């Protein structure tokens, strides 16, 4: 209560200083409507913010700025789809003729072949059979006096033989450099002609010899030939060595 009286006194004094006087020391009456002995109220709460005003007008465009630095290169993009093939252009003019090439290697064809037949019955075993009926021996690589083929061109050769068998069993061997590499055996059937044959691929070096002979001690030498039945021996080069 004392505090409220003090506040009221301060207010009255402040208002008394603002009231004009006609003479010193004489107070003028309070204006009409001013309550005497009034007491100030408690301050109110702050009011709400007002409604925002309207946007202002656009300002004048500013001056153009300086050109900025170039940015970093971006990642490589994906490959695009293939475009449509264009129309074929006109044919160009013939080019200048090139220089003459170097001479090539010789197209020499290596040949080595023979084909021979038997003229008489073989009776001697363990020695080369001498085929003396010559069907082909143009290069003379087969020696009819010894019954042996002599290699003059190194390479791969094919050899074959077809034997008529009569009166005895037959066992023959194909030899290369004093070593039997192939055996053929045929058992003779009484009162009949049989056939026996064999073939092989052999690699030969220059100087190698190949031949056919009866194998054993003579009991298997039924190789036969006459005017109507042949026993033949054939061989030829398939391809020569290149080194």
């Amino acid at each position: 209560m004392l505090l409220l009286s003090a506040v009221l006194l301060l207010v009255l004094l402040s208002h008394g200083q603002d009231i004009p006087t006609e003479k010193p020391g004489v107070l003028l009456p309070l204006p009409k409507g001013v309550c005497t002995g009034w007491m100030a109220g408690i301050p109110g709460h702050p009011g709400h913010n007002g409604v925002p005003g309207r946007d202002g007008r656009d300002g004048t465009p500013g001056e153009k700025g300086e050109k900025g630095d170039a940015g970093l290169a971006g990642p490589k993009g994906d490959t695009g789809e293939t475009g449509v093939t264009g129309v074929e252009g006109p044919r160009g003019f013939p080019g200048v003729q090139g220089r003459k090439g170097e001479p090539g290697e010789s197209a020499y064809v290596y040949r080595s072949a023979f084909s021979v037949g038997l003229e008489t019955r073989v009776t001697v075993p363990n020695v080369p059979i001498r085929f003396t009926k010559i069907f082909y021996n143009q290069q003379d690589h087969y020696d009819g006096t010894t019954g042996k083929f002599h290699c003059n061109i190194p390479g791969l050769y094919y050899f074959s033989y077809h034997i008529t068998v009569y009166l005895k069993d037959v066992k023959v061997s194909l030899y290369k450099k004093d070593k039997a590499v192939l055996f053929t055996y045929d058992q003779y059937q009484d009162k009949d002609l049989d056939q026996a044959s064999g073939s092989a691929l052999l690699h030969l070096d220059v100087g190698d010899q190949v031949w056919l002979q009866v194998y054993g001690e003579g009991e298997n030498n039924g190789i036969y030939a006459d005017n109507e039945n042949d026993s033949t021996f054939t061989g030829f080069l398939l391809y020569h060595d290149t080194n």
Side-chain angles (χ1 to χ4, degrees):
M1 187 67 179
L2 293 175
L3 179 60
L4 182 60
S5 300
V7 172
L8 179 60
L9 179 59
L10 290 176
V11 173
L12 291 174
L13 291 176
S14 63
H15 279 283
Q17 292 176 357
D18 294 336
I19 301 172
T21 58
E22 291 183 355
K23 292 180 181 181
V26 179
L27 294 174
L28 296 178
L30 292 175
K32 187 179 181 179
V34 176
C35 296
T36 59
W38 60 276
M39 186 174 57
I42 299 173
H45 296 287
H48 298 288
N49 293 331
V51 178
R54 294 181 298 176
D55 294 338
R57 297 180 180 179
D58 295 337
T60 304
E63 297 181 357
K64 184 177 181 180
E66 296 181 358
K67 184 177 181 180
D69 297 331
L72 299 176
K76 184 178 180 180
D78 297 332
T79 303
E81 297 180 357
T82 304
V84 180
T85 303
V87 180
E88 183 178 358
R91 184 174 182 179
F93 296 101
V96 179
Q97 184 175 0
R99 295 181 299 174
K100 185 177 180 180
E102 299 293 334
E105 296 182 359
S106 172
Y108 179 78
V109 178
Y110 294 87
R111 293 185 176 92
S112 180
F114 73 95
S115 182
V116 293
L118 193 64
E119 291 184 305
T120 60
R121 180 183 175 187
V122 177
T123 58
V124 182
N126 293 321
V127 294
I129 301 173
R130 294 174 61 246
F131 294 87
T132 56
K133 183 186 291 187
I134 306 299
F135 300 116
Y136 180 86
N137 191 29
Q138 186 172 350
Q139 293 82 33
D140 290 327
H141 293 169
Y142 172 79
D143 186 354
T145 60
T146 63
K148 296 182 178 181
F149 169 78
H150 297 263
C151 176
N152 290 268
I153 303 171
L156 186 66
Y157 287 79
Y158 174 78
F159 294 95
S160 66
Y161 51 87
H162 300 275
I163 303 299
T164 298
V165 182
Y166 186 58
L167 298 179
K168 288 186 178 183
D169 298 343
V170 164
K171 188 174 184 179
V172 295
S173 300
L174 182 68
Y175 277 77
K176 171 189 173 183
K177 295 194 303 183
D178 296 322
K179 182 178 180 180
V181 295
L182 182 65
F183 294 92
T184 299
Y185 176 76
D186 181 80
Q187 187 176 17
Y188 173 69
Q189 303 296 324
D190 190 24
K191 296 181 182 180
D192 196 7
L193 292 173
D194 289 343
Q195 299 290 327
S197 62
S199 61
L201 286 172
L202 300 177
H203 181 271
L204 303 180
D205 295 318
V206 174
D208 289 347
Q209 297 177 342
V210 178
W211 67 90
L212 199 67
Q213 74 179 39
V214 174
Y215 190 84
E217 298 299 328
E219 66 277 9
N220 296 318
N221 62 346
I223 299 178
Y224 181 79
D226 59 20
N227 294 333
E228 296 180 354
N229 300 280
D230 285 307
S231 294
T232 62
F233 181 33
T234 300
F236 54 86
L237 174 68
L238 287 177
Y239 57 84
H240 70 282
D241 292 345
T242 57
N243 50 1

